[in-house]
Amino acid sequence: MNRGRILLFATLRDYTGSRSLEMEIPAGTTVAVLTEMLIKAHPRLEKVRTSMMTAINREYARDEQVIPENAEIAFFPPVSGG
Amino acid sequence: MNRGRILLFATLRDYTGSRSLEMEIPAGTTVAVLTEMLIKAHPRLEKVRTSMMTAINREYARDEQVIPENAEIAFFPPVSGG
Amino acid sequence: MDSPTYLALTQDAISPDDLIARITTPGTGAVVLFTGIVRGITTHGETRQTSHLDYEAYSPMAEEKMKQICVEIRERWSAVEGIAIAQRIGQLDAGTITTVIACSAGHRDSGVFEAARYGIDRLKEIVPIWKKETGPDGASWVEGHYHPAAGE
Amino acid sequence: MDSPTYLALTQDAISPDDLIARITTPGTGAVVLFTGIVRGITTHGETRQTSHLDYEAYSPMAEEKMKQICVEIRERWSAVEGIAIAQRIGQLDAGTITTVIACSAGHRDSGVFEAARYGIDRLKEIVPIWKKETGPDGASWVEGHYHPAAGE
């Protein structure tokens, strides 16, 4: 078990009301599972389920990727800079 | 007959030693004929004969074009700005 | 060959003059610069007005991705010498420069046009920055569309 | 649609910042700017050094031809809003901006990249400007190659 810090941006920040969250992340948790945990904790995220993206240690992550210990985790919508 | 003023630029200025020349230009003179007159007056221009260009009233001119009266005439090498 | 790289994620005004100077080397004969500007009036589709945009960034990752874009550009256009990428964040009014991508090279036929185009396309795909648009009808987040592959 | 046009044949320093501001309209979301710079070191072919270039222009015709390039750009890329073309003349040291072509539009996919590229290509073909290069071995005129058709 590992207390993880999750960063949230743009619409995800608005829907959760937070810039960052702390969550208990069991060892072996994948990105897909963590996404479900996050949506369960913040049901308003349901509507961006298919568009939200995850970065682990500042790199775009795969759904099946296992979250390493002490990772920097971020969830956000598709980018719109420029 | 018409006393014409001819502007010269870049290498043509160097070869003639002048920024502008005055020449007697008979009525009906074409660009090709004027070019020959100019080379005859300034034989160093022989070596740029094939590359030199003519503008009449600030527009690229054809060899067979007749020089109108009171025209602004310019001779110069291919451009190299930018 | 000098290969200056200048990256900025900044709250301050972006100066193309300054960025061009930063990527001008003794071998530079050509710079192509793209700049994005806050449109006050958008006429693609339905016409709408924008008073300002608010940009936010996931800064450390954005800086990493800007570096990555430079690597990608240099892999594709080996004649590119200098690269500058700047993105301004915070509240930006209509008419304000939001981003600049500039590439320098010896000559204009070296890929600098394509490299700058590639740079702005990639910035809009992979750099984690978002903007919220405020107009007469209120504010809303601008939706991106691209989903980078893992590790992209 | 606003269509500002700004042309300059000048002895003074050219500021891309200034030119971008001049062609930014309420509808502008993208500007592509090309700038030519005096190369101190040229490595195309044999390596050579340049200390400065001296530019001269047939000014009234050059201004006409710069206008013509704007017309040609607008005929080809109707989405282009603003166009700025500037050429500096006089003695310009290595590292100095010699020319700028900038085009503005609502969006980057509107032809602004192609329009700016076309602009600099045409400037080097039809605008009567010449440069003499001075380096360690003395000075010589740079040879152009393009022969415009009559009336081009």
Side-chain angles (χ1 to χ4, degrees), chain B residues 7-11 13-14 19 50-53 55 58-62 65 72 74 76-82, chain D residues 55-56 58 60-61 65 87 98-99 123-132 141-142 144 147-152:
Chain B
L7 306 173
L8 299 161
F9 295 94
T11 43
R13 180 160 53 74
D14 288 357
R19 285 182 183 279
T50 57
S51 65
M52 65 198 259
M53 299 194 294
R58 308 174 184 176
E59 190 54 88
Y60 291 104
R62 234 185 318 275
Q65 194 170 323
E72 181 174 307
F76 48 76
V79 308
S80 61
Chain D
Y55 282 79
E56 77 171 54
Y58 174 16
M61 181 170 170
K65 290 295 162 186
Q87 169 79 47
T98 62
T99 189
L123 183 135
K124 285 170 173 272
E125 287 178 347
I126 65 168
V127 180
I129 298 167
W130 303 271
K131 59 184 169 231
K132 187 183 245 176
W141 287 100
V142 177
H147 281 255
E152 180 173 342

Side-chain angles (χ1 to χ4, degrees), chain C residues 110-132:
Chain C
S110 56
V112 267
F113 278 93
E114 295 79 1
R117 173 72 200 241
Y118 180 86
I120 182 61
D121 287 349
R122 289 298 275 163
L123 184 137
K124 287 173 173 270
E125 287 178 348
I126 66 168
V127 180
I129 298 167
W130 303 270
K131 59 183 169 235
K132 187 184 245 176

Side-chain angles (χ1 to χ4, degrees), chain C residues 9-15 87-89 92 97:
Chain C
L9 193 63
T10 176
Q11 305 246 11
D12 302 325
I14 297 171
S15 162
Q87 168 79 47
R88 190 167 175 189
I89 52 179
L92 304 183
I97 290 178

Side-chain angles (χ1 to χ4, degrees), chain B residues 25-63:
Chain B
I25 304 177
T29 300
T30 61
V31 167
V33 168
L34 183 62
T35 304
E36 291 308 321
M37 289 164 62
L38 189 64
I39 294 172
K40 196 161 177 200
H42 297 275
R44 291 189 65 202
L45 293 177
E46 187 61 57
K47 64 164 117 175
V48 290
R49 172 197 286 280
T50 57
S51 65
M52 65 198 259
M53 299 194 294
T54 315
I56 303 292
N57 293 331
R58 308 174 184 176
E59 190 54 88
Y60 291 104
R62 234 185 318 275
D63 280 353

